[in-house]
Amino acid sequence: MATANMKDVKRRIKSVESTMQITKAMELVASSKMRKAKMRAEAAQPFFKVLYDTMSDISEDKAFKSVFTQKDESKATLLVVVAGDRGLAGGFNSNVLKLAVSRADELVSEGREVKIMAVGRKSVEFFEKRNYDLILSYPNIAESLDTYLVSDIADDVLDRFKKGEYNTVELVYTTLVSALTQEPVNVQILPVEHLDNGKDENIRALTVYDPSPEEVFDGMIPQYLGGLLYSAVVDSYASEQAARRTAMESASDNASEMIGQLSLLYNRARQAVITQELTEISSASLRDE
């Protein structure tokens, strides 16, 4: 009986050790991907900052008007929901999807129609299985995202905005606060609210825009929206890898603890078998005498 129990324990130890090897490997892969994603996000920041400052200078003029800055709360809202492509990342996907659903319910309660653009396989699968108006879906693009693809996505979003399918666009994604902290956030990206670059409002920009500030501003909107989407997807991807690294590290620690407990159990069973065998040998010797 004890021998059979030892075999079961030994089999469980080998199984947990195999699992721990997988979680360790996934932890290392996630760490490597997180570093690369952070580098991609940091590389895009200088371009986006210059673009942001230019649009801020244009929008400082009080007489400035653009179709992309006019507010109208009577139509539909597009929620761009960015989630991960894979699981095993703790509460990463559930947290951002929970925020998206909460925001969608809030908009519906205000009498607004809600449309969904899902980025990431988990986001697409979530909204496909529920009663939401999913008009755009982009699964499995985060890891290989480039400026050409994000430009096409931005153009599609803007075309539908101009056609009046919706008059507000909001972005729901997860930002990387630190390697241990990821926070789901909700930001409005269209219409563009007044941009503040920190300059004194009494100081007028000396730049003259040709043919007009409005046309220059509208012409920069695709790059601006594309930059926002690119930053959000890359930031979300880095957050996903950080969450997965933390989850796999925790799983490896739990597996190590379980192996320790099973090893203790195995040693106790082994000691019991040895004790039993010694007792039987001693009993046999006494009978022979």
Side-chain angles (χ1 to χ4, degrees):
M1 186 68 179
T3 304
N5 186 45
M6 287 175 58
K7 289 181 179 179
D8 291 339
V9 173
K10 197 169 184 179
R11 190 180 301 113
R12 288 188 62 190
I13 291 175
K14 288 183 177 180
S15 176
V16 176
E17 286 177 342
S18 298
T19 301
M20 189 169 70
Q21 288 178 351
I22 295 173
T23 57
K24 280 287 188 182
M26 293 182 67
E27 178 186 345
L28 294 174
V29 171
S31 298
S32 176
K33 289 185 176 181
M34 181 186 70
R35 286 193 296 269
K36 292 180 180 179
K38 287 180 66 177
M39 290 174 61
R40 288 168 61 193
E42 292 170 357
Q45 287 179 0
F47 168 79
F48 186 71
K49 185 180 184 304
V50 172
L51 188 64
Y52 183 90
D53 289 344
T54 303
M55 296 183 73
S56 298
D57 289 338
I58 298 174
S59 63
E60 280 181 356
D61 191 342
K62 294 182 179 180
F64 172 81
K65 290 183 180 179
S66 170
V67 65
F68 296 111
T69 60
Q70 297 175 0
K71 294 184 178 181
D72 182 2
E73 299 182 355
S74 62
K75 294 183 181 180
T77 294
L78 175 67
L79 281 184
V80 181
V81 184
V82 183
D85 292 314
R86 299 178 180 85
L88 298 176
F92 170 78
N93 290 307
S94 61
N95 290 339
V96 70
L97 293 173
K98 188 183 298 183
L99 176 61
V101 169
S102 175
R103 180 54 181 160
D105 292 343
E106 183 181 347
L107 290 169
V108 170
S109 68
E110 295 173 358
R112 293 179 63 84
E113 183 184 356
V114 176
K115 299 179 183 292
I116 300 292
M117 170 179 152
V119 179
R121 186 167 62 87
K122 291 296 181 180
S123 179
V124 174
E125 291 175 352
F126 179 86
F127 289 106
E128 280 181 341
K129 296 176 181 178
R130 289 163 178 80
N131 189 27
Y132 288 95
D133 186 8
L134 181 62
I135 62 172
L136 294 168
S137 59
Y138 298 94
N140 303 308
I141 66 169
E143 188 170 1
S144 59
L145 185 67
D146 55 33
T147 55
Y148 299 103
L149 176 57
V150 81
S151 178
D152 291 339
I153 296 174
D155 289 342
D156 198 356
V157 171
L158 288 173
D159 287 342
R160 293 171 181 266
F161 182 87
K162 292 175 182 178
K163 291 176 182 177
E165 292 188 23
Y166 41 79
N167 63 343
T168 305
V169 180
E170 295 186 13
L171 182 61
V172 182
Y173 71 103
T174 305
T175 183
L176 182 66
V177 179
S178 69
L180 298 176
T181 307
Q182 304 84 40
E183 181 181 357
V185 293
N186 170 223
V187 295
Q188 177 179 308
I189 55 179
L190 285 178
V192 180
E193 297 181 340
H194 173 69
L195 303 174
D196 181 14
N197 61 1
K199 292 183 178 180
D200 189 343
E201 293 184 358
N202 295 322
I203 300 177
R204 295 295 302 275
L206 299 178
T207 308
V208 177
Y209 297 97
D210 184 49
S212 68
E214 288 79 9
E215 291 191 39
V216 174
F217 186 90
D218 292 350
M220 294 173 65
I221 282 291
Q223 287 77 20
Y224 179 72
L225 181 59
L228 280 176
L229 292 175
Y230 182 86
S231 298
V233 173
V234 173
D235 196 3
S236 177
Y237 182 71
S239 300
E240 178 188 1
Q241 301 307 321
R244 181 170 294 111
R245 187 197 66 80
T246 301
M248 291 302 100
E249 182 181 15
S250 177
S252 298
D253 292 342
N254 291 337
S256 180
E257 182 180 353
M258 185 178 292
I259 289 172
Q261 294 173 351
L262 290 172
S263 296
L264 181 61
L265 186 61
Y266 175 80
N267 291 333
R268 285 176 179 175
R270 182 169 175 270
Q271 186 65 41
V273 171
I274 293 172
T275 302
Q276 182 180 356
E277 290 177 351
L278 289 174
T279 303
E280 290 174 354
I281 292 172
S282 298
S283 300
S285 299
L286 290 173
R287 285 197 301 269
D288 292 340
E289 292 179 356

